[in-house]
Structure formats: structure tokens, C-alpha cells
Amino acid sequence: MLVVMDTHAGEDQVNAVCDEIRNMGLTPHPMPGAQRTAIGITGNKGAVEASRIEQMIGVVRVIHVTAPYKLVSREFHEEDSAVHVGDVMFSKQNFTIIAGPCAVESAQQIDEVAAHLKAHGAHMLRGGAFKPRTSPYSFQGLGETGLKLMQETGKRHGLPVVTEAVDRESLQLVEKYGDMIQIGARNMQNFSLLRDAGRSRKPVLLKRGMSATLEELLMAAEYIVNEGNPNVVLCERGVRTFADHTRNTLDLSAIPFVQRTSHLPIIADPSHGTGRREKVIPLSCASVAVGADGIIVEVHPHPDQAMSDGPQSLFPDQFVELMRQISVIAGVVNRTLIQEPQPKAV
Ligand code: PEP
Ligand code: MN
């Protein structure tokens, strides 16, 4: 449920409504907006006795939120949310490019690619140190050593770092060394990990599970936000279908659907979404055109030697071409690739 306050409602009136909600054994979530304050209510098992709140001073109306997700829904929060990672901002005006190898493999590999990516306009650096691999015999990542390399390299090149956490222990390390926590497709419904990420102060990149519906994706985001971390960016990374010409089917229709039902930013991952490097540029262009708030792409200095996801990793030159193409399309859809340091909203 959502309580809409009058534009002139003062802080004392908002506080009184919050107290009343608490008296009812529920949790209030005040959301100050440009025009007026709204107060979300969670914690109810059934219908809430709306009349108790409706009659309070300063209350305009009480809306029943129909979606199963509350805090991440547009019904709760009408305006688009922006998520800040250092000076980088995921928002409707920007188009944010996260690039880097699937996995950090060595100091030289990550430094070489980061220098190239920064020089050609990437905003953030990706690279996993904890890799969820299908086979236990495949390269599992460099662990803490890899995270230190990511942190040093990101700082050296002025690129905030996003890197994956796969369990509670790795989450603590990612929080320490990274700027943004990635929750991967395989862990989208690891509810204890989602709760832990929700207690973190670092922003979270939440990837869609490979057979998750959009409702499930938004419910997963709800777990994080419900623990007190509002800084969640969603990611469409392709789903399993009958199609075998690509690794996954990048479901670009998810982008406008999510944007209609949720206020959270959403980006696309054309690398995992296709699994084929020659498809990454066209699907990146399509992601911009469809209204995504950014992309995350895999780029390796020597993709043929990559320890994971080589076939979908771009050659450095291809990243330059990708930037050239998407900058043209970004202009058409009123997005800028330039990230000005933004003051944080309070
Ligand atoms: C990755 O980003 O390298 C990754 C493992 O992605 P996903 O969780 O989408 O498979
Ligand atoms: Mn990968």
C-alpha cells in the first residue's frame, strides 16, 4: 500500500502517519519526491485497514499496490531512480558502459585492457575474481588476489569496479575491494545472498536468472531493497530458449517491460546474451535503441587466450567500433555517453 501525502504536508504530519503505520505492526517507507512525499507500507499479510490512515491530516489518498513487488514498483515510486557508483550514474539521461574481461587473470591482462577501455570511453571496469563455472575443473577465478588487482587497476585508470560475489564470504571481500557488487544469473534466487547484499552499503548489479520471469527478477530486487539497500541496477543477460544459434536469447523486450513496472535502472549484457563476439556490437546497438540504461560487455586483450568466455569477448579494436556505433544511436534516443560527476541526491 502507498500513502500519498498532500504537497503541503509537513514533516510532523508525515511522521504521524509513519507512527500510525508502526502502531499497526507494519513498516513505513517515506519517499520524499519532487512534488510530494509518499509513504510505502510493507509487512502486511492481508489487506490493511486503510481508513485509519486515510482520515489523518495531510493524507490525500491511499493506493493499493497490485504488483507482488512493492518497493521496486512504479506504483510505489513514480520517478525513475538513479544509481550512483562513484562518479558514474545509471539514469535515464546517461548511457553507462561497463566493460572488461569475464575474469581478471593477471595484473598485466587487466591493466592492458583497462587502459584501452578508459581511453575509448568505458565508464566502469568489470572482471570476476569468483567465477561460477559449470565445471569444477574450469578456472574458478583468482579470489582475493584478483579483487586486489581489480581495485588497484580501477583506481589507476579512474574506472569504478563491478565484480561478482557468489556467497557470503566472497560478498564480504567484494564489498571491501569493489565499488559495485554483481549478483550473477545463477544466484538471482539465492535469497540469503540477496539479503546480505541488501545489508551492504555498496550498489548492486543484479542479473536476471537464465530461466527467470521478470516478476521473479523484480522479486529478487525486492529482497535487496527490502533490507535497506535502494541502489540496485537490473541486468538482462539472456534466457534459455530452444534457440541454439546463440548461447542465450537476449530478451530485449524485458527492458521496456521492466521500465514500465519498476523505477530501477536496467542494463543489457549482449556478451552473455549471445555468447558470440560478432553479435555483441549489433545487440549493443539494439540495447541502446530499446532504451536500456547501459550495457555490460566482455573485452579481453587476447580473447583467444581468455581463461573464460573467450568466444564472446571482444577484441580491443572491436570495442572502439562498438563505442563509435552506440554513440550515434545514443544521440537519437537522447542519451549521453558523457558522465559528469553528479551531486548525490539526498
Ligand atoms: C559474468 O558476468 O561473467 C557472468 C558469469 O554472468 P551471468 O551471471 O549473467 O552468467
Ligand atoms: Mn563471462
Side-chain angles (χ1 to χ4, degrees), residues 6-17:
D6 187 81
T7 28
H8 306 295
E11 206 181 315
D12 46 339
Q13 291 168 351
V14 173
N15 288 343
V17 173

Side-chain angles (χ1 to χ4, degrees), residues 102-103 126 131 247 272 298 308-309 312:
C102 179
R126 63 148 292 146
K131 295 305 303 175
R247 180 178 176 186
H272 293 87
E298 290 185 339
S308 63
D309 286 348
Q312 68 193 33

